[in-house]
Amino acid sequence: MFHICLLMFSPQNYPLYIRSVPSQNELKFHYTVHTSLDVVEEKVSAVGKSLADQRELYLGLLYPTEDYKVYGYVTNSKVKFVIVVDSSNTSLRDNEIRSMFRKLHNSFTDVMCNPFYNPGDPIQSKAFNGIVSGMMVQTG
Amino acid sequence: MCTMAAEQKKKSLRCRRKKIKTDIYLLCSVAPLRHRAVLLQSATIGGGSGQTQAEPAAWRCVFTGNHSCLVLIPSVVRQTGATYLEEGCIDLFARRVSASPSGSLHASPPGMDQESAAASGASLISLTEHEQRYYSGLHALCQADAPAKLSSSKVAELFKASQLPPESLHKVTEVCGAKHLGYFGTAQFYIALKLLAAAQSGLPVRLESIAGNLPLPRFAGLKNEPAPPASDPQGAPSGSVAWNAADRSSFRHLEANADKKPEPWSPPRSPCSSPPRSPLTYRSYPYSKQRNGVDAQISYDGKLSSRSIVQLEQHSSPGHYVNKPAAEHAAVAQASSAERLNQPATLSYSDDDPWRITVEQLDYYTNQFKTLQPDLGALILGAVAKNFFTKSKLPILELSHIWELSDVDRDGALTFTEFCIAFHLIVARKNGYPLPESLPPTLQPVPDQHQDERIPDTPESSEPLIVFEDAQPRSCQVVKDPNSVARLDPTLASRKHDLQEESLIQEPHQELDPQMRTKTRQRSYSSTSIDDAIKKAEEPPTPPPRPQKTHSRASSLDLNKLFQQGAPGVKSGWLLPPPALPPRPSATQVPHFLKVSEQASQNKVQQPNFADFSHFREEEESGVKLEEQGPASRFGLSSEDLGSASQQDVSGTPHGQAPQKPIRRKYHPESQNLETGAPPPAMPFLPPAKTSQKLLSRQKREIQMAIRKNRETNAVLRRLNSELQQQLKVVHQERVTLESQLELLRPLAST
């Protein structure tokens, strides 16, 4: 069973949305992701007004033992998406990750359009959850 | 009998292989009638599982008086396929056998059962006269061939008509003793009815529950006794009278009516039996619900019973009676699946009715919409809708979910249709209906006419990128509506770089991403009548013919000269000759309410004329051309005439321009161009220039107006210029960063 985890962070770096499959590994993913946030920040600030950074971390860089690939993505409003996948899941290619991020971004925009959603709140939208589940099932 | 022997062998084998539970597996076959091995009853004996091991020797045979043979063999609970409960084959033997721990058999006349059962039953219940009548009526309904035994299929239907969950029905069957018996005798039936009443009142299904006074059990679609103690929210009394005759016939002819047309029926009563009237509800809703409820129940029952009858007939056994785990009959499975099948089916039907908006509801929604937004064709912004719906005092999470369901085009604003959907969902929620996960089919919006008009069939280019860029700014746009001018400027500026085709593409591609999005987005700021939308639709496909010229006044030329001297330079966009019409004039008109007509005419010819605009700008500094003045003055004159028209269109212009993407969309500013051009709707009303009486005074007025306009345009252009410069800087910066990134990556790529 492939592990995959998705986290979303607000511009202030607190989590907006956390989802992982299987769900019992969440803590481990949290740690991974929090460290990866540092790298994201570094990249975002270094490049100045860069556009969305899609590919971010690679196997071997952070966790040589654990074989996780961590991908990052930053939206224009500095909302960060981080996806952690098993490196055993070699079937996931870069394009797929990119398309995943794109879908996430679109769904996130839909959530933003909802006037009842206050930016910065944890995301509880069922539609968003559905899309994320679909994505994870697809890749996991 | 050989089949029976075979069955026995099979069962014994099974027993040996698996550990036996304490069940006794009874076989019975009525020789004259059937040769099937039938599971009559499985009852647990004692508590231990090991006591009665499977041995062929443990079988016992009993021959009863009606040519049936009861064979008791301890067997595994697991059943095989052919286990049915046969009417009339089951003796009280089984009951008594199961009751005794030793598992011994008793041969007793079949007649004993009923008496004992009746006795036990009678001791447990005391029927009031009312109940007596009712129950006897129901009893008559369920009469079967065998005397004193009720047709189990009909009883099954009756139970289902009580609308209790299947588990309760099984429990009722068990408690009343029919399970033991294997059939419903009179006493069991009466007990069962009382238990049903208890269950419907919410009491646990136990014999103690029926000791007290209970209301009559309610059966959907069946006749109710006059003045039932419990109020029937379904309004069954009214419908039931009509039903009596129909009901009986339906019961009899159900086999024939295998195909009942599914009809909507009201959802299960439990969640919404007493819908509270929220402040937002209106009278008509409960009426429609009730009305449809009665109708639907009838059809529902008919269908349900028909289906169950069909199933039961096939298996000739009320399989659902036997609820023990041992009784995993195919029949049971099928009967229960029939129940389950009916339930989801009914649920889907239930969706139809409460989710359909009635006419009164629609009127109410329309009025509410009008209070928020007078124009029915326009959009309600998200914030406005949020305030309004928050008044309904539903939790924010539910409101958020409702919004997700109703905002089908995902533009952060509600069209009239979407508003109705949202309102309806809120009303339903306040009435106790759970929110659906997805939009019910009857509530789905019909594709809007207006939107269709505005979708030209143009190809899209580089859509994915645009998606992203649309995504971000879109939400901002909703909020920053008042700042449309600010947004216009950068878009107008960016327009400079782009070709006209892109603008054409922009608008359609915006619409294509998710198609409704951009369309509605354009409308989100329009808040105008449908005319504007139509005009916008007209814009993209072909530039409307230029208004040109019909200036009957010879003095126009003179005015041109006057203008030229009076206001050099700016002649702001709208002064351009028809060929070169920059969209910017729309920007000026936004704040200044310039005569829309000019703008309209200009925008119509805008598209082919981008280059001219830049060209014109250069000329601006150098000096003004007479020709440009000419049309400008013409427009100025005509614009005066369009006093009323401008009023009407002024509101349109901001909206047309508003939907442009903010600065981010440097790559696709065309859309903005087009939008700026579009809004000033097609100039259908270039009113003919009226012939003025006093040329001089008119000229003076015109000159003054022209000067004013020029000044305003000037200011706008200046602002636009500065913003463009800023954008240019930003773009430069980005380019630099990109290049530096490239440099960084290059060594990586090489390694």
Side-chain angles (χ1 to χ4, degrees), chain A residues 47-51 53-54 73 75-77 98 101-103 105-118 124-128, chain B residues 382-383 385-386 389-390 396-397 399-401 403-404 407 410-412 437 464 467-469 471-472 474-475 517 664 667 730 733-734 737 741:
Chain A
V47 192
K49 267 208 193 183
S50 72
L51 299 174
D53 228 352
Q54 293 190 317
Y73 181 95
T75 71
N76 298 329
S77 51
R98 278 183 210 270
F101 275 130
R102 199 169 301 137
K103 257 196 282 184
H105 197 163
N106 282 338
S107 326
F108 175 68
T109 319
D110 288 340
V111 170
M112 278 297 211
C113 276
N114 190 334
F116 298 100
Y117 171 76
N118 299 316
Q124 290 156 324
S125 144
K126 290 182 200 161
F128 189 77
Chain B
K386 174 180 179 179
F389 289 135
T390 313
I396 296 287
L397 196 57
L399 287 173
S400 177
H401 186 57
W403 177 277
E404 276 175 8
D407 190 11
R410 297 269 183 269
D411 61 349
E437 285 303 317
V467 170
F468 274 146
E469 303 182 43
Q472 287 303 325
R474 203 163 6 108
S475 48
R517 263 187 201 170
R664 290 262 168 90
Y667 311 95
V730 166
Q733 275 177 355
E734 288 196 15
T737 55
Q741 269 182 325

Side-chain angles (χ1 to χ4, degrees), chain B residues 360-540:
Chain B
E360 298 104 329
Q361 291 174 333
L362 201 59
D363 288 339
Y364 184 76
Y365 297 155
T366 314
N367 292 334
Q368 292 296 313
F369 189 94
K370 285 202 181 120
T371 63
L372 292 178
Q373 171 65 262
D375 183 11
L376 279 186
L379 294 174
I380 292 187
L381 294 182
V384 175
K386 174 180 179 179
N387 292 337
F388 180 71
F389 289 135
T390 313
K391 289 190 226 159
S392 70
K393 304 217 177 24
L394 285 181
I396 296 287
L397 196 57
E398 297 191 2
L399 287 173
S400 177
H401 186 57
I402 288 178
W403 177 277
E404 276 175 8
L405 287 176
S406 50
D407 190 11
V408 289
D409 48 16
R410 297 269 183 269
D411 61 349
L414 297 179
T415 65
F416 176 60
T417 319
E418 295 171 346
F419 177 81
C420 288
I421 296 171
F423 211 132
H424 196 70
L425 286 170
I426 289 181
V427 165
R429 185 77 189 98
K430 291 210 79 101
N431 279 332
Y433 291 90
L435 281 184
E437 285 303 317
S438 63
L439 215 51
T442 51
L443 212 51
Q444 295 221 337
V446 181
D448 224 350
Q449 299 295 331
H450 318 320
Q451 293 161 352
D452 293 341
E453 283 167 345
R454 268 186 292 116
I455 306 176
D457 300 331
T458 53
E460 44 180 283
S461 64
S462 63
E463 221 229 17
L465 272 181
I466 296 161
V467 170
F468 274 146
E469 303 182 43
D470 287 356
Q472 287 303 325
R474 203 163 6 108
S475 48
C476 314
Q477 287 177 7
V478 176
V479 180
K480 289 191 279 187
D481 186 21
N483 302 335
S484 55
V485 176
R487 247 172 314 165
L488 285 180
D489 294 339
T491 65
L492 288 172
S494 49
R495 171 187 54 85
K496 269 168 124 181
H497 319 299
D498 303 305
L499 301 171
Q500 163 198 350
E501 298 85 25
E502 272 188 293
S503 66
L504 279 175
I505 294 171
Q506 281 315 76
E507 192 160 325
H509 102 264
Q510 287 173 10
E511 296 151 346
L512 289 169
D513 152 57
Q515 216 162 12
M516 313 303 263
R517 263 187 201 170
T518 54
K519 283 184 297 182
T520 53
R521 196 158 4 101
Q522 289 173 356
R523 281 176 28 161
S524 60
Y525 299 94
S526 64
S527 303
T528 55
S529 63
I530 298 178
D531 296 338
D532 280 339
I534 297 177
K535 290 162 199 162
K536 285 180 206 166
E538 292 172 353
E539 287 286 342

Side-chain angles (χ1 to χ4, degrees), chain B residues 660-723:
Chain B
Q660 303 157 14
K661 303 298 174 278
I663 303 180
R664 290 262 168 90
R665 309 206 36 220
K666 312 179 231 323
Y667 311 95
H668 310 280
E670 299 322 318
S671 58
Q672 298 149 1
N673 287 338
L674 200 54
E675 286 162 19
T676 52
M683 254 202 344
F685 21 64
L686 245 199
K690 40 186 177 186
T691 54
S692 62
Q693 307 75 356
K694 296 146 196 166
L695 281 173
L696 275 177
S697 59
R698 191 161 183 82
Q699 287 174 5
K700 212 188 222 173
R701 255 182 289 133
E702 287 165 359
I703 292 170
Q704 283 165 353
M705 263 175 29
I707 291 175
R708 194 178 352 117
K709 285 171 203 161
N710 286 340
R711 283 211 193 99
E712 289 162 346
T713 330
N714 209 6
V716 171
L717 285 175
R718 232 178 268 127
R719 204 176 344 137
L720 183 61
N721 193 16
S722 59
E723 296 199 29

